[in-house]
Amino acid sequence: MPRPKAMSSSDPQDTPDSPLSAPVPEAPVPAGLLDSNLDNLGVTYGDDGGTIRVWSANAQDIELVLFDDTDLDWITDTVTLSPVGGGVWQGTTHSLRPGAKYALRADGPHSAGNTFNDSFLLIDPYARGLAPSGHGEWRSVAVDGGFDWGGVQKPAIPMDRTVLYEGHIKGMTKRHPDVPAALHGTYAGLAHPAMIEHFLSLGVTSIELLPVHAFVTEPRLLQHGLSNYWGYNTLNFFTPHDLYATVESRQNGPDAVLREFKGMVKLLHEAGLEVILDVVYNHTSEEGLGGPRTSLRGLDNRSYYRQQEDGAYIDVTGCGNSVNTSTDAAARLILDSLRYWANEVQIDGFRFDLAATLARDGAHTFTPDHPLLRTIMDDPQLAGVKKISEPWDVGMGGWQTGNFGDGWSEWNDRYRDRVRNFWLSDVDYARRASTSPVGIGGLATRLAGSSNTFSADRGPIASINFITAHDGFTLRDLVSYDVKHNLGNGEQNRDGADTNRSFNHGAEGPTADERVLATRRKAMRNLLGTLMLSAGVPMLTAGDEFGRTQRGNNNAYCHDSALTWLAWDHAPWQKELFAHVQTLIRLRNENPAIRPTRFARLDEFTPSASVMEWYDEHGETMSAERWTSPAHRTLQYVAASTPEHEDFNRVLLMIHGSETPIDVTLPEIEGVTRYVSLWSSADELPDEDHPVFAPNDIVPLTGTSMRFFRAE
């Protein structure tokens, strides 16, 4: 079975297809996902006590089961829910109060696709809290949810100024020496002053957290003594994962866990940092048929999951099941979860895991104008919230980079692959064949914002640029390993991507060869420099600023250990790399020419775009032959801003993708009298001096290096 989060390829034929059958006849559902019948699902409180509303189109009976406060096997009350229209079942009782533990039982037809069994105690899909029963079961917990935000507002950072930092709640803080031991690996630990100081010192603006919705580890992993560390195995869409809370909060119950989470968000917001959640709405932890029956499967399997007519699942996620967003209630569940986190918990944005699954219609075909996608974009309750898609899944037609609508940003795997090729696999090829396989033209397109992938209406900020992510090699491993080393995952090295576009530079893994190590360090600087100086929105993976390693494991989803936790004791070279990332992020912020929000149009003035010019190593305009020839791997990229909100700015970036040193002549450009050197990837430590050059001056570049100038 494919592991969650296998790295995608930019080539559609590299993505495995799942055979799809004829469309399943739709269950009787409300007229639309905004139908008022679907309002106020879950628990609400009133003068008569608590009211619960549950949706199931096919159930014949649903019962609310209430438990003792301490003994979660002791049933204290049951309430039969009544159908109230639109597939909604409702009941009210004084026993349903904040802190109450409860579950649902559902019965219905026993036919293909229906898996009703009223002996199972099920989680309310809208539960705001969960408590383990000790028998592999869970009880929903009604919460109060009160919290004093103290007037703290969301930072509302514009997309062009956004620098994403993708990390794991536990992994970022578990080993930090300045975070108190009681806060290691917790929500409170992430908001500790030591962590905030790190984020601010680095210069990132938005912390993108791997899944924090309540999740569980698959039984298969438990049998191997492993765990689902990343968290892409969601149990419930409304509840924060309690194991990331402090012991004190867990002991005080779900309300305390939720307060700790909100407290984290509040403190990060006070520091000017956004919180982005990686959300997994495409599948659940109920896995394939025969897997756990914890919630949706027991309430209405036929409606919540994509199936063939005989009830066999259509799995376009590689995780056993796919949530059927062509069912209005399933789509509304996702929408209501987003509203809850964006408003009640003040989350700034979402990265949608395997987002192509969410946009499949009743025939299981991707459609960019899917009602759920349109509603997420148009919903006033989600206005100003960042929406980032992972624009693929593993089903037929699942690779959709560039095909999401206006307002969406997308993980750009084409950017990732092209940049890796240019600085790594192309260089490896050139060492073997004495020539590079391709020229520099493809990289230039990615530097300029991937206009061949994203429409003019969407602009460069539709592209989330990344070199690495949680999934795949770390930056250091990318330059240190030719192949994956995943034996520790218990699958004989079969899991994880085989095509990594990596290059070990002459030795596989650890080495004492200083020549190899120096080349690797420069390669990391080239990759980071490209990332931060490209048009689009950069995403940095936590730990890459220090050159973190996972010892060649490119699918470390099942390791909750020092292999995946960030180390905070750094060698001198790691501190120097950190200084480079600091410098690059600062330069990105200071130079609007490298962060346009629109694509420039020929012979038109386009506000907040950048007019781009391209020169070769002789300072001459690039010829068609030089764009495409593998023998020419040197480029001077000039970007001049078209001011709308900031002062005019013009920069020049030199890129040399061959290991042979070269002399580069600075171009003559009207209005430019000097070039101020601001950064070079050839330096082990960023140079604090900023030498000044004139047009036609010659600048020597070492092999495979970059240099960045402000043109004045």
Side-chain angles (χ1 to χ4, degrees):
M1 171 179 157
R3 291 286 67 77
K5 307 307 300 127
M7 179 180 291
S8 85
S9 166
S10 64
D11 300 315
Q13 61 268 27
D14 289 344
T15 303
D17 292 336
S18 297
L20 304 182
S21 71
V24 178
E26 293 188 6
V29 295
L33 65 91
L34 294 180
D35 191 290
S36 61
N37 285 317
L38 297 176
D39 291 346
N40 300 315
L41 293 175
V43 174
T44 56
Y45 307 110
D47 294 338
D48 296 330
T51 296
I52 185 165
R53 286 165 56 84
V54 180
W55 183 89
S56 175
N58 292 303
Q60 295 168 343
D61 293 289
I62 299 183
E63 185 179 52
L64 170 68
V65 182
L66 292 134
F67 297 89
D68 180 74
D69 286 342
T70 56
D71 185 346
L72 298 186
D73 291 322
W74 180 9
I75 297 174
T76 59
D77 196 6
T78 61
V79 178
T80 299
L81 305 189
S82 301
V84 294
V88 175
W89 298 72
Q90 181 173 309
T92 300
T93 172
H94 285 288
S95 300
L96 194 55
R97 64 194 186 284
K101 280 77 172 177
Y102 68 98
L104 299 166
R105 287 179 177 148
D107 199 5
H110 299 275
S111 56
N114 289 304
T115 56
F116 290 103
N117 187 328
D118 61 4
S119 68
F120 279 80
L121 294 163
L122 305 170
I123 295 169
D124 172 10
Y126 281 75
R128 303 310 202 248
L130 293 175
S133 71
H135 305 287
E137 295 181 350
W138 299 80
R139 306 293 180 248
S140 303
V141 182
V143 302
D144 174 79
F147 185 79
D148 181 7
W149 289 98
V152 175
Q153 301 294 312
K154 294 182 180 182
I157 296 166
M159 281 302 288
D160 69 300
R161 289 185 172 271
T162 297
V163 179
L164 298 164
Y165 185 84
E166 188 207 35
H168 190 284
I169 279 280
K170 185 174 185 179
M172 285 189 281
T173 64
K174 179 64 177 176
R175 304 169 72 186
H176 200 300
D178 297 327
V179 174
L183 303 185
H184 280 170
T186 68
Y187 301 123
L190 190 73
H192 186 273
M195 291 303 303
I196 289 176
E197 191 280 331
H198 174 70
F199 299 142
L200 296 179
S201 173
L202 185 59
V204 296
T205 65
S206 309
I207 314 304
E208 183 177 309
L209 300 175
L210 267 64
V212 297
H213 289 172
F215 65 87
V216 292
T217 291
E218 299 90 331
R220 160 187 68 75
L221 288 177
L222 294 174
Q223 292 172 1
H224 289 285
L226 300 170
S227 64
N228 189 318
Y229 173 66
W230 287 350
Y232 292 88
N233 200 41
T234 306
L235 184 67
N236 175 268
F237 295 147
F238 288 83
T239 305
H241 191 60
D242 71 336
L243 292 181
Y244 293 157
T246 58
V247 172
E248 180 181 3
S249 291
R250 297 204 305 270
Q251 290 174 341
N252 288 326
D255 251 317
V257 171
L258 181 57
R259 283 195 298 273
E260 181 177 327
F261 191 101
K262 291 179 177 179
M264 172 194 72
V265 174
K266 179 180 178 180
L267 288 171
L268 291 171
H269 282 177
E270 284 181 335
L273 295 164
E274 292 184 320
V275 181
I276 313 291
L277 298 188
D278 192 335
V279 286
V280 188
Y281 294 121
N282 58 81
H283 75 281
T284 75
S285 61
E286 291 185 306
E287 302 185 24
L289 284 172
R293 188 186 329 223
T294 55
S295 184
L296 303 182
R297 176 171 292 147
L299 286 170
D300 195 337
N301 180 67
R302 192 58 162 164
S303 298
Y304 277 114
Y305 293 119
R306 296 186 180 275
Q307 302 166 40
Q308 298 177 7
E309 291 190 31
D310 63 0
Y313 277 2
I314 295 171
D315 177 15
V316 297
T317 68
C319 301
N321 64 64
S322 304
V323 173
N324 187 6
T325 53
S326 69
T327 300
D328 292 327
R332 179 63 177 268
L333 173 65
I334 294 168
L335 179 66
D336 285 344
S337 173
L338 294 170
R339 290 168 163 178
Y340 172 74
W341 290 97
N343 297 297
E344 293 296 320
V345 194
Q346 290 291 289
I347 293 301
D348 302 278
F350 302 94
R351 179 266 188 189
F352 293 82
D353 181 68
L354 299 183
T357 299
L358 305 183
R360 291 182 179 270
D361 60 18
H364 317 297
T365 300
F366 174 85
T367 174
D369 61 348
H370 191 285
L372 177 58
L373 296 192
R374 293 201 316 268
T375 305
I376 288 171
M377 192 53 58
D378 297 339
D379 189 357
Q381 294 190 51
L382 298 176
V385 173
K386 291 180 168 68
K387 293 107 174 170
I388 301 168
S389 73
E390 183 185 38
W392 52 76
D393 62 20
V394 300
M396 185 179 295
W399 185 76
Q400 295 293 336
T401 304
N403 292 333
F404 281 68
D406 188 34
W408 286 90
S409 295
E410 302 177 34
W411 273 29
N412 189 349
D413 55 334
R414 287 183 167 185
Y415 177 94
R416 174 200 66 200
D417 293 348
R418 177 60 66 185
V419 174
R420 287 187 180 191
N421 282 348
F422 185 82
W423 291 117
L424 300 175
S425 57
D426 287 0
V427 176
D428 181 22
Y429 184 99
R431 283 194 185 183
R432 302 170 192 269
S434 300
T435 182
S436 297
V438 296
I440 202 168
L443 179 69
T445 302
R446 301 302 161 194
L447 283 170
S450 297
S451 61
N452 61 344
T453 302
F454 302 101
S455 68
D457 290 339
R458 298 177 67 191
I461 57 174
S463 178
I464 302 297
N465 297 334
F466 67 108
I467 308 297
T468 67
H470 66 275
D471 181 18
F473 280 143
T474 66
L475 179 69
R476 180 175 171 185
D477 289 355
L478 196 63
V479 304
S480 304
Y481 293 90
D482 280 352
V483 296
K484 65 187 181 185
H485 295 263
N486 295 357
L487 285 174
N489 297 358
E491 299 184 52
Q492 293 75 51
N493 211 40
R494 292 192 302 264
D495 66 303
D498 292 314
T499 303
N500 295 286
R501 298 172 169 84
S502 60
F503 179 33
N504 67 19
H505 292 87
E508 185 71 0
T511 181
D513 188 327
E514 179 52 36
R515 180 186 59 82
V516 171
L517 293 173
T519 307
R520 288 176 177 177
R521 293 195 296 270
K522 185 171 61 173
M524 285 190 280
R525 295 192 294 268
N526 286 330
L527 291 164
L528 290 166
T530 306
L531 176 66
M532 293 302 168
L533 301 177
S534 294
V537 180
M539 184 185 78
L540 180 70
T541 304
D544 277 355
E545 70 271 32
F546 292 122
R548 180 177 74 90
T549 181
Q550 290 178 168
R551 301 200 295 272
N553 192 317
N554 75 350
N555 192 33
Y557 76 103
C558 56
H559 293 280
D560 185 357
S561 68
L563 181 71
T564 51
W565 304 335
L566 269 63
W568 294 92
D569 182 18
H570 301 124
W573 74 266
Q574 293 177 296
K575 296 176 182 178
E576 292 168 353
L577 184 64
F578 179 82
H580 275 280
V581 182
Q582 283 181 308
T583 298
L584 287 164
I585 294 176
R586 175 179 55 79
L587 290 174
R588 179 178 186 83
N589 187 56
E590 292 174 351
N591 292 278
I594 56 176
R595 44 181 176 81
T597 62
R598 300 183 181 96
F599 292 121
R601 298 174 185 269
L602 187 64
D603 298 326
E604 293 183 18
F605 179 86
T606 304
S608 294
S610 287
V611 176
M612 298 164 186
E613 299 175 320
W614 311 89
Y615 300 91
D616 62 17
E617 64 269 32
H618 305 299
E620 299 173 355
T621 300
M622 286 284 286
S623 65
E625 188 271 337
R626 286 181 178 268
W627 276 122
T628 57
S629 171
H632 295 98
R633 304 254 305 170
T634 307
L635 177 71
Q636 298 188 77
Y637 163 44
V638 176
S641 69
T642 51
E644 185 177 16
H645 307 294
E646 300 179 72
D647 292 338
F648 174 75
N649 172 241
R650 180 157 40 196
V651 298
L652 181 147
L653 180 64
M654 286 182 180
I655 299 170
H656 179 50
S658 167
E659 292 197 291
T660 302
I662 193 171
D663 289 337
V664 179
T665 301
L666 286 163
E668 286 192 37
I669 300 174
E670 183 178 355
V672 174
T673 59
R674 66 178 198 163
Y675 296 93
V676 181
S677 178
L678 301 177
W679 176 78
S680 170
S681 69
D683 298 332
E684 291 284 355
L685 187 68
D687 189 354
E688 295 185 2
D689 295 328
H690 300 300
V692 177
F693 298 85
N696 292 316
D697 280 356
I698 293 176
V699 178
L701 291 183
T702 64
T704 54
S705 65
M706 306 173 67
R707 195 157 184 171
F708 183 67
F709 302 81
R710 185 172 59 247
E712 297 180 346

